[in-house]
Amino acid sequence: MQSTLRELQGLSRDARFWTVLVVIALIVGLVGPFGTYQVLAVAPRLAYWGVVVLGTALTGTLVVGFVERLLRPRLNKYLAALLAGALPGPLLAAMVALINIAVFGPGVTSFDLLTLGVYCTLISAAVTLVSAVLERPAQPDPAHVPPALLGRLPRPQRGLIRRISVADHYVEVTTEKGSSLVLMRLSDAIKETAPVAGLQVHRSHWVALDAVKRGTRQKGRPALELDDGSIVPVSRTYIAAVRAAGFPV
């Protein structure tokens, strides 16, 4: 659970994640499904759907990420995604029901809750399943096997691996799609980057070779500048290996 919470924190810093939520909230807020177009003015309707979309997205992502992490090693990834997506349905329905009571007042019947639960379960399961179907391996080798490390990341962060850094007892894995924390040692994480060509440049840092833009200096000390603008220090122990890889520092 702690690892899942940290991954959710990383996802919350992803601008694309928030952009998608805002776009969805605007669309449903303007369309006004489930009778909200008739009973709410534009501003309250946008606010209502903004709260619903944000609350259900964050809660659903947390629960799905945790459950899917437990199920994937044991089940087919599509079945794991389907079950993990369906599980938070009742919880999401309860959340929406509470929001409805706060906005529209009491009057929710057992039938309303049952219907809402079915809708939320089906929608959540469908979204998670579609995400699993559309998931494509990044950085495949000739046999189309992605780095094992990507399987430890949330789907929104799975992409070309750029660098790995130590963060307390975790490693921060940075891909082209964002960063995520994984509870493991750097040495074990490096083993799971194959077939990506990379190099450990510091006791706390590993970089993918194709992510390196050039060798540089930071406060007089050797470092590497990556294509995303980040600077990774190079320790004395690894200077020879970095130079041998073609990066003067």
Side-chain angles (χ1 to χ4, degrees):
M1 176 59 76
Q2 185 180 18
S3 178
T4 302
L5 287 172
R6 285 180 175 267
E7 289 181 354
L8 184 61
Q9 290 175 352
L11 184 62
S12 68
R13 295 191 293 268
D14 189 338
R16 288 166 295 188
F17 175 75
W18 292 106
T19 299
V20 170
L21 290 187
V22 169
V23 170
I24 292 175
L26 285 174
I27 291 175
V28 294
L30 293 173
V31 172
F34 303 109
T36 56
Y37 186 88
Q38 289 78 20
V39 298
L40 292 175
V42 175
R45 191 167 68 244
L46 289 172
Y48 167 81
W49 282 109
V51 172
V52 170
V53 169
L54 178 62
T56 56
L58 293 178
T59 303
T61 299
L62 177 62
V63 177
V64 169
F66 176 71
V67 175
E68 196 171 9
R69 180 184 294 275
L70 296 177
L71 294 180
R72 274 223 174 184
R74 300 173 177 82
L75 300 174
N76 173 278
K77 77 171 186 176
Y78 301 116
L79 180 58
L82 185 64
L83 293 176
L87 187 62
L91 176 61
L92 299 180
M95 178 181 297
V96 175
L98 290 175
I99 295 173
N100 286 343
I101 292 174
V103 175
F104 303 110
V108 178
T109 66
S110 299
F111 179 76
D112 293 331
L113 289 175
L114 179 61
T115 303
L116 190 59
V118 172
Y119 276 130
C120 290
T121 300
L122 292 177
I123 292 173
S124 179
V127 169
T128 309
L129 180 60
V130 169
S131 297
V133 171
L134 296 179
E135 179 183 317
R136 296 180 180 180
Q139 295 178 313
D141 66 6
H144 302 292
V145 178
L149 185 59
L150 291 183
R152 298 179 181 271
L153 308 183
R155 276 192 293 274
Q157 274 73 55
R158 295 177 189 175
L160 299 176
I161 300 175
R162 314 316 284 157
R163 58 187 169 89
I164 307 172
S165 300
V166 173
D168 295 327
H169 298 294
Y170 294 78
V171 291
E172 182 180 36
V173 182
T174 300
T175 72
E176 61 177 337
K177 297 182 178 180
S179 299
S180 183
L181 293 173
V182 180
L183 182 60
M184 65 189 307
R185 297 180 301 178
L186 177 63
S187 58
D188 293 331
I190 292 175
K191 292 176 183 178
E192 294 191 5
T193 60
V196 179
L199 185 67
Q200 185 170 359
V201 298
H202 188 279
R203 68 179 181 178
S204 300
H205 300 281
W206 174 96
V207 298
L209 293 182
D210 65 357
V212 179
K213 184 177 180 180
R214 63 187 179 93
T216 185
R217 289 266 169 175
Q218 186 180 48
K219 296 181 180 179
R221 297 180 179 179
L224 294 174
E225 180 182 351
L226 305 190
D227 52 12
D228 62 359
S230 59
I231 302 294
V232 177
V234 177
S235 65
R236 188 180 301 274
T237 303
Y238 298 97
I239 286 180
V242 170
R243 289 173 176 169
F247 305 107
V249 291

